[in-house]
Amino acid sequence: AVCSMGNSTSRLYSVLAKTLSSGAVSQHQECLEQLDSAQLDPIDPKDLLEECQIVLQKRPPRFQRNFVNLKKNAGSNHRPIRVMQWNILAQALGEGKDNFVQCPMEALKWEERKCLILEEILAYKPDILCLQEVDHYFDTFEPLLSRLGYQCTFFPKPWSPCLDVEHNNGPDGCAIFFLKERFQLVSSANIRLTAMKLKTNQVAIAQTLKCRETGRLFCIAVTHLKARTGWERFRSAQGCDLLQNLKNITQGAKIPLIVCGDFNAEPTEEVYREFSNSSLNLNSAYKLLSPDGQTEPPYTTWKIRPSGECRHTLDYIWYSQHALNVNSALGLLTEEQIGPNRLPSFNYPSDHLSLVCDFSFNQDPDRLL
């Protein structure tokens, strides 16, 4: 039943309701791509959050996570740039392929899970949002987030595993959303990653943005590398290809860089070392939460499949440590919060945790690398 609400939100609810019943949407993707979201009325984030909470009223409340202040000095007078990285779990994979044996199918219903994802995004209010496993871009994320003021870019996998699932909603892929009020798009590149000179099924997006407040340029990139054990050398080759692309785009690290991704690789893997030792001078932001500042979190994904329990650190936010400071990072969910059935669940919509960091520019832009 549709709840009766005031005029300002009832119109919004009809928009949200349309995205809830999106079964046939992928059949009409061409029409959706032609819709000009700029012609639609802006949405007040509070109204959208209220709509989501009405849909979610029978579910448990959101988990509380706190930001950890990592700033060592007074630093910048400018507003920090909040970046959110999240593998949101493709709907087709969650329902059809991933076999989360302890997660009830009821918890995976798109009508509600979608609102949990939106609630998480609205709670942290990122200036830049980097997502993987997006298979509801055209019917959900682009129409809603564009009306919240974001510029939206999507690059699907060429052979998405979602397409093998009956009643799928089209291919999954990577997406970047940035607030047009804060940034101007300078250039954008869709990158199909190669390995051993072969084009692969994995992709990346890299965009050079100009910060309207400071005038500073920086590059934001999102990627999702090949999954599964046994593919370590393949991921390493993909990582090398991505780094080479990013070196060209950033003019050899002259332009500061932030790379968000599900690398499907533990910190012990070669691809992690490649990013750590790259000439781009990258550091992993979430290491800064550890007591020594050198250790990744114990997990960013935790699930139970028929083969057993999987607890891994696979998701990262890399940044140019010569040009950017990490002011704060969002703490991860505790084991107690996650619960014995792990993720996803009625409480949390994905098998991966969102990562959120606040960045500021180094105050000395001419500082040598």
Side-chain angles (χ1 to χ4, degrees), residues 45-46 82 84 120-128 150 179:
K46 291 177 183 172
R82 176 162 291 183
M84 184 173 186
E120 180 97 343
I121 294 166
L122 290 163
Y124 299 121
K125 303 173 187 167
D127 300 303
I128 303 171
Y150 289 92
L179 285 176

mmCIF file of all heavy atoms in Angstrom, residues 45-46 82 84 120-128 150 179:
data_model
loop_
_atom_site.group_PDB
_atom_site.id
_atom_site.type_symbol
_atom_site.label_atom_id
_atom_site.label_comp_id
_atom_site.label_asym_id
_atom_site.label_seq_id
_atom_site.Cartn_x
_atom_site.Cartn_y
_atom_site.Cartn_z
ATOM 1 N N PRO A 45 17.298 15.488 -0.475
ATOM 2 C CA PRO A 45 17.782 14.205 0.077
ATOM 3 C C PRO A 45 16.992 13.745 1.300
ATOM 4 O O PRO A 45 16.785 12.552 1.506
ATOM 5 C CB PRO A 45 19.240 14.488 0.456
ATOM 6 C CG PRO A 45 19.609 15.754 -0.224
ATOM 7 C CD PRO A 45 18.351 16.476 -0.579
ATOM 8 N N LYS A 46 16.525 14.696 2.103
ATOM 9 C CA LYS A 46 15.740 14.330 3.296
ATOM 10 C C LYS A 46 14.438 13.651 2.902
ATOM 11 O O LYS A 46 13.987 12.710 3.565
ATOM 12 C CB LYS A 46 15.456 15.574 4.144
ATOM 13 C CG LYS A 46 16.705 16.144 4.813
ATOM 14 C CD LYS A 46 16.374 17.397 5.573
ATOM 15 C CE LYS A 46 17.642 18.015 6.173
ATOM 16 N NZ LYS A 46 17.373 19.338 6.765
ATOM 17 N N ARG A 82 34.554 14.240 0.299
ATOM 18 C CA ARG A 82 34.157 12.928 0.833
ATOM 19 C C ARG A 82 33.974 11.939 -0.322
ATOM 20 O O ARG A 82 33.172 12.173 -1.230
ATOM 21 C CB ARG A 82 32.879 13.038 1.657
ATOM 22 C CG ARG A 82 32.382 11.692 2.158
ATOM 23 C CD ARG A 82 31.400 11.820 3.299
ATOM 24 N NE ARG A 82 32.056 12.301 4.504
ATOM 25 C CZ ARG A 82 31.439 12.457 5.672
ATOM 26 N NH1 ARG A 82 30.140 12.170 5.782
ATOM 27 N NH2 ARG A 82 32.100 12.893 6.729
ATOM 28 N N MET A 84 33.214 7.909 -1.368
ATOM 29 C CA MET A 84 32.622 6.644 -0.905
ATOM 30 C C MET A 84 32.873 5.560 -1.945
ATOM 31 O O MET A 84 32.626 5.758 -3.134
ATOM 32 C CB MET A 84 31.117 6.826 -0.688
ATOM 33 C CG MET A 84 30.396 5.613 -0.128
ATOM 34 S SD MET A 84 28.666 6.069 0.256
ATOM 35 C CE MET A 84 28.088 4.564 1.053
ATOM 36 N N GLU A 120 22.133 4.123 2.909
ATOM 37 C CA GLU A 120 23.559 4.185 3.253
ATOM 38 C C GLU A 120 24.238 5.366 2.537
ATOM 39 O O GLU A 120 25.030 6.101 3.139
ATOM 40 C CB GLU A 120 24.234 2.861 2.848
ATOM 41 C CG GLU A 120 25.699 2.775 3.152
ATOM 42 C CD GLU A 120 26.020 2.064 4.457
ATOM 43 O OE1 GLU A 120 25.129 1.905 5.315
ATOM 44 O OE2 GLU A 120 27.178 1.685 4.646
ATOM 45 N N ILE A 121 23.926 5.548 1.273
ATOM 46 C CA ILE A 121 24.516 6.657 0.508
ATOM 47 C C ILE A 121 24.055 7.996 1.088
ATOM 48 O O ILE A 121 24.851 8.917 1.306
ATOM 49 C CB ILE A 121 24.134 6.543 -0.979
ATOM 50 C CG1 ILE A 121 24.778 5.295 -1.608
ATOM 51 C CG2 ILE A 121 24.541 7.798 -1.746
ATOM 52 C CD1 ILE A 121 24.207 4.909 -2.961
ATOM 53 N N LEU A 122 22.763 8.104 1.360
ATOM 54 C CA LEU A 122 22.213 9.361 1.886
ATOM 55 C C LEU A 122 22.749 9.664 3.287
ATOM 56 O O LEU A 122 22.894 10.828 3.661
ATOM 57 C CB LEU A 122 20.683 9.284 1.913
ATOM 58 C CG LEU A 122 20.003 9.288 0.541
ATOM 59 C CD1 LEU A 122 18.565 8.796 0.649
ATOM 60 C CD2 LEU A 122 20.048 10.674 -0.094
ATOM 61 N N ALA A 123 23.042 8.626 4.054
ATOM 62 C CA ALA A 123 23.546 8.837 5.418
ATOM 63 C C ALA A 123 24.931 9.483 5.412
ATOM 64 O O ALA A 123 25.233 10.320 6.255
ATOM 65 C CB ALA A 123 23.598 7.505 6.162
ATOM 66 N N TYR A 124 25.778 9.105 4.449
ATOM 67 C CA TYR A 124 27.164 9.584 4.452
ATOM 68 C C TYR A 124 27.402 10.756 3.504
ATOM 69 O O TYR A 124 28.448 11.377 3.542
ATOM 70 C CB TYR A 124 28.123 8.425 4.161
ATOM 71 C CG TYR A 124 28.006 7.344 5.218
ATOM 72 C CD1 TYR A 124 27.662 6.043 4.887
ATOM 73 C CD2 TYR A 124 28.186 7.655 6.563
ATOM 74 C CE1 TYR A 124 27.525 5.068 5.873
ATOM 75 C CE2 TYR A 124 28.047 6.692 7.552
ATOM 76 C CZ TYR A 124 27.713 5.396 7.201
ATOM 77 O OH TYR A 124 27.572 4.443 8.167
ATOM 78 N N LYS A 125 26.427 11.038 2.621
ATOM 79 C CA LYS A 125 26.464 12.228 1.768
ATOM 80 C C LYS A 125 27.809 12.398 1.057
ATOM 81 O O LYS A 125 28.483 13.420 1.232
ATOM 82 C CB LYS A 125 26.161 13.480 2.596
ATOM 83 C CG LYS A 125 24.831 13.428 3.318
ATOM 84 C CD LYS A 125 24.674 14.622 4.247
ATOM 85 C CE LYS A 125 23.430 14.490 5.096
ATOM 86 N NZ LYS A 125 23.404 15.447 6.213
ATOM 87 N N PRO A 126 28.224 11.433 0.255
ATOM 88 C CA PRO A 126 29.518 11.581 -0.418
ATOM 89 C C PRO A 126 29.478 12.665 -1.493
ATOM 90 O O PRO A 126 28.453 12.874 -2.145
ATOM 91 C CB PRO A 126 29.738 10.197 -1.054
ATOM 92 C CG PRO A 126 28.354 9.654 -1.267
ATOM 93 C CD PRO A 126 27.540 10.171 -0.109
ATOM 94 N N ASP A 127 30.605 13.351 -1.658
ATOM 95 C CA ASP A 127 30.761 14.264 -2.786
ATOM 96 C C ASP A 127 31.019 13.472 -4.059
ATOM 97 O O ASP A 127 30.635 13.894 -5.145
ATOM 98 C CB ASP A 127 31.928 15.224 -2.529
ATOM 99 C CG ASP A 127 31.709 16.059 -1.282
ATOM 100 O OD1 ASP A 127 30.683 16.757 -1.219
ATOM 101 O OD2 ASP A 127 32.546 16.006 -0.364
ATOM 102 N N ILE A 128 31.718 12.337 -3.894
ATOM 103 C CA ILE A 128 32.005 11.428 -5.008
ATOM 104 C C ILE A 128 31.669 10.016 -4.554
ATOM 105 O O ILE A 128 32.092 9.583 -3.481
ATOM 106 C CB ILE A 128 33.484 11.497 -5.440
ATOM 107 C CG1 ILE A 128 33.866 12.929 -5.832
ATOM 108 C CG2 ILE A 128 33.755 10.537 -6.596
ATOM 109 C CD1 ILE A 128 35.348 13.132 -6.055
ATOM 110 N N TYR A 150 23.978 14.906 -8.674
ATOM 111 C CA TYR A 150 25.177 14.195 -9.109
ATOM 112 C C TYR A 150 25.237 14.100 -10.630
ATOM 113 O O TYR A 150 24.210 13.917 -11.288
ATOM 114 C CB TYR A 150 25.199 12.771 -8.553
ATOM 115 C CG TYR A 150 25.451 12.667 -7.068
ATOM 116 C CD1 TYR A 150 24.374 12.645 -6.157
ATOM 117 C CD2 TYR A 150 26.736 12.575 -6.554
ATOM 118 C CE1 TYR A 150 24.585 12.533 -4.797
ATOM 119 C CE2 TYR A 150 26.961 12.460 -5.187
ATOM 120 C CZ TYR A 150 25.891 12.445 -4.309
ATOM 121 O OH TYR A 150 26.105 12.337 -2.968
ATOM 122 N N LEU A 179 29.172 15.346 -7.321
ATOM 123 C CA LEU A 179 28.283 16.503 -7.171
ATOM 124 C C LEU A 179 28.711 17.616 -8.128
ATOM 125 O O LEU A 179 29.835 18.124 -8.045
ATOM 126 C CB LEU A 179 28.311 17.009 -5.728
ATOM 127 C CG LEU A 179 27.548 16.170 -4.698
ATOM 128 C CD1 LEU A 179 27.742 16.746 -3.305
ATOM 129 C CD2 LEU A 179 26.062 16.079 -5.032
#
